[in-house]
Amino acid sequence: MSPVYLDNNATTRVDPAVVGAMLPFFTEQFGNPSSMHAYGASVAEAVRKARQQLQALIGAGFEDEIIFTSGGTESDSTAILSALEVMPGRKEIVTSAVEHPAVLKLCAHLEKTRGVKVHIIPVDHHGRLDLDAYRTALTPQVAIVSIMWANNETGTIFPVVELADLAREVGALFHTDAVQAVGRLPVELKSTAIDMLSLSAHKLHGPKGIGALYVRRGVRFSSMIKGGHQERDRRAGTENTPGIVGLGMAAELALKFMDETKRIKWLRDRLENGIIQRIPNTSINGDPQERLPNTANIGFEGIEGDAIPIVLSRLGIACSAGSACASGSLEPSHVLIAMNAACGAVRFSLSRDNGEDDVDRVLEVLPAITEKLRAVPSAGLCGRGAEQLHSGPGPSGTIADAHSGAVRSSST
Ligand code: PLP
């Protein structure tokens, strides 16, 4: 049975065309793009091409609005720290309760170490932002708003274009972590008030360790990494040229395959509907309408989040877990807690690599797995302590495995 990969919000397979584009930059195209000679010039030209490929994907007005970074985490940090530095009179940040730790942990750190006030806007049961609380938090003291474009765990999409307009009214900068959105949703930045946007190559079939920060022309900016003059003095350090070329090619392919989104959504809906129809007491977490087309986050009443992914993993099916309570072996998910969701949830996230066979395989095995987990007293039942979960003998190898190993949570 061939393996089934349904964890594309954690990372995606690098497209072979991306690998092909990168390879020469490990061998004959080894020059430093800052060098004056021919070795440098051809590599500098490749970096420029990648910037243009990315500009096309995100609809940026100018190629120099793109700064290459090491990924989504660095881009998020850079955007927030820059805003605080260029607006020293403003000491507040507005963000949401369901941001990635790349934003939330930095905000918590800034609150503790620099006395910055952080407004964390709550979400409702579907993961939608509380707009009244958002409007109330927006004052002339706010330096930056950082609200994600789409949530990594549930796929819920935020109305970032409207949120950016509101931020602009009080003179705050607007940053969006679009790591899960770019390549999966059409993005056209030049017609919006979004000032900064983070993206990461490994979520769109590109390599790991490379990403970008979009900074609108005219927005004051302070670099986080100080040193050489690379990236027009906005991100020091010799460029990761194979990574940049790979990100450029991944962006070009994402644009080319944007229509695939319809097929991916059809597959995702088939998976969700199949699960809901076949398995009782299941529910979908996230906004019923405004959701990434590739993401299904499903709550299985009475089953710990990690039990199902562990059993599926033994059958060659990769997905990830989330939990809204601390009774199992998983760290509780701040996203599910903020949504007041049921205890355990499983995230299936698809990509253009997936087909009907992948979805049908899950639908074939999942009903029996959930039935067994619910029937066995020691199985991964929500609300039990971790000790109980891990001590009882299971009825079969695979269910017993559900008690013995940790599984990747969907916080990626
Ligand atoms: N933001 C979101 C929403 C993510 O899903 C991730 C990765 O999982 C990141 C930021 C971090 O990106 P990177 O892994 O490129 O640092």
Side-chain angles (χ1 to χ4, degrees), residues 4 7 11 67 85 88 108 110 124 150 189 206 228 230 247 257 286 290 295 297 300 398:
V4 175
D7 200 13
T11 199
I67 302 171
E85 200 157 318
L110 291 170
D124 69 10
L189 288 171
Q230 293 87 356
L247 171 54
F257 289 122
E290 298 301 317
T295 307
N297 186 304
F300 294 84
T398 52

Side-chain angles (χ1 to χ4, degrees), residues 28-42:
E28 67 270 23
Q29 297 264 51
F30 62 85
N32 186 325
S34 301
S35 299
M36 302 294 289
H37 45 65
Y39 290 88
S42 67

Side-chain angles (χ1 to χ4, degrees), residues 19-326:
V19 178
M22 291 172 72
L23 284 177
F25 295 86
F26 289 106
T27 51
E28 67 270 23
Q29 297 264 51
F30 62 85
N32 186 325
S34 301
S35 299
M36 302 294 289
H37 45 65
Y39 290 88
S42 67
V43 177
E45 190 44 41
V47 170
R48 173 142 192 246
K49 180 177 169 201
R51 221 182 287 281
Q52 290 167 343
Q53 287 163 315
L54 198 49
Q55 180 194 356
L57 179 65
I58 62 174
F62 307 94
E63 63 188 71
D64 63 13
E65 292 176 324
I66 288 159
I67 302 171
F68 291 113
T69 66
S70 66
T73 304
E74 184 190 321
S75 297
D76 287 347
S77 275
T78 305
I80 292 169
L81 294 174
S82 167
L84 291 174
E85 200 157 318
V86 299
M87 292 204 259
R90 294 177 178 234
K91 299 246 178 291
E92 296 186 13
I93 300 174
V94 174
T95 188
S96 85
V98 295
E99 296 301 309
H100 190 271
V103 168
L104 283 179
K105 286 207 175 159
L106 174 69
C107 286
H109 176 76
L110 291 170
E111 200 166 41
K112 208 167 138 198
T113 58
R114 294 205 205 164
V116 171
K117 182 168 177 192
V118 182
H119 301 267
I120 298 190
I121 310 300
V123 296
D124 69 10
H125 190 55
H126 291 304
R128 291 182 291 223
L129 200 72
D130 179 336
L131 286 179
D132 288 336
Y134 179 69
R135 283 200 186 89
T136 307
L138 285 179
T139 67
Q141 278 74 55
V142 176
I144 183 164
V145 174
S146 183
I147 305 268
M148 65 201 332
W149 197 306
N151 185 265
N152 45 304
E153 294 191 32
T154 63
T156 296
I157 297 170
F158 290 94
V160 284
V161 173
E162 291 79 21
L163 298 176
D165 287 337
L166 292 170
R168 189 168 274 188
E169 283 175 19
V170 296
L173 290 175
F174 188 89
H175 164 253
T176 183
D177 175 337
V179 163
Q180 297 290 348
V182 170
R184 296 182 179 143
L185 297 173
V187 173
E188 183 68 20
L189 288 171
K190 54 178 171 291
S191 57
T192 74
I194 294 168
D195 295 303
M196 293 188 268
L197 173 145
S198 303
L199 63 91
S200 180
H202 74 100
K203 310 286 185 182
L204 54 137
H205 302 278
K208 292 163 187 61
I210 183 76
L213 176 66
Y214 158 89
V215 182
R216 172 183 301 286
R217 241 194 213 181
V219 166
R220 279 182 298 145
F221 180 80
S222 170
S223 64
M224 184 174 78
I225 300 179
K226 316 283 185 202
H229 296 301
Q230 293 87 356
E231 297 295 283
R232 296 170 187 252
D233 281 328
R234 294 172 303 176
R235 202 276 190 180
T238 301
E239 295 86 342
N240 169 2
T241 50
I244 290 171
V245 168
L247 171 54
M249 179 54 87
E252 185 178 317
L253 294 174
L255 203 52
K256 183 172 153 201
F257 289 122
M258 198 51 87
D259 261 4
E260 276 281 275
T261 303
K262 294 190 198 100
R263 188 184 66 84
I264 294 168
K265 182 175 182 303
W266 182 84
L267 287 174
R268 191 277 310 271
D269 290 348
R270 180 184 171 89
L271 177 68
E272 281 184 350
N273 294 335
I275 291 175
I276 300 286
Q277 280 159 15
R278 286 173 176 76
I279 306 171
N281 301 322
T282 47
S283 54
I284 293 167
N285 293 318
D287 191 312
Q289 273 88 42
E290 298 301 317
R291 206 145 46 91
L292 284 177
N294 78 319
T295 307
N297 186 304
I298 299 175
F300 294 84
E301 205 182 297
I303 302 178
E304 284 282 356
D306 53 352
I308 291 172
I310 289 170
V311 180
L312 286 178
S313 170
R314 298 284 298 184
L315 300 174
I317 300 169
C319 61
S320 65
S323 174
C325 55

Side-chain angles (χ1 to χ4, degrees), residues 303-311 320-333 343-345 373 378-391 399-411:
I303 302 178
E304 284 282 356
D306 53 352
I308 291 172
I310 289 170
V311 180
S320 65
S323 174
C325 55
S327 59
S329 57
L330 270 182
E331 277 270 299
S333 147
C343 179
L373 283 169
S378 61
L381 292 180
C382 203
R384 286 170 184 273
E387 279 156 42
Q388 273 175 290
L389 252 169
H390 291 277
S391 60
I399 299 294
D401 287 334
H403 311 284
S404 59
V407 73
R408 173 163 297 286
S409 83
S410 51
S411 68

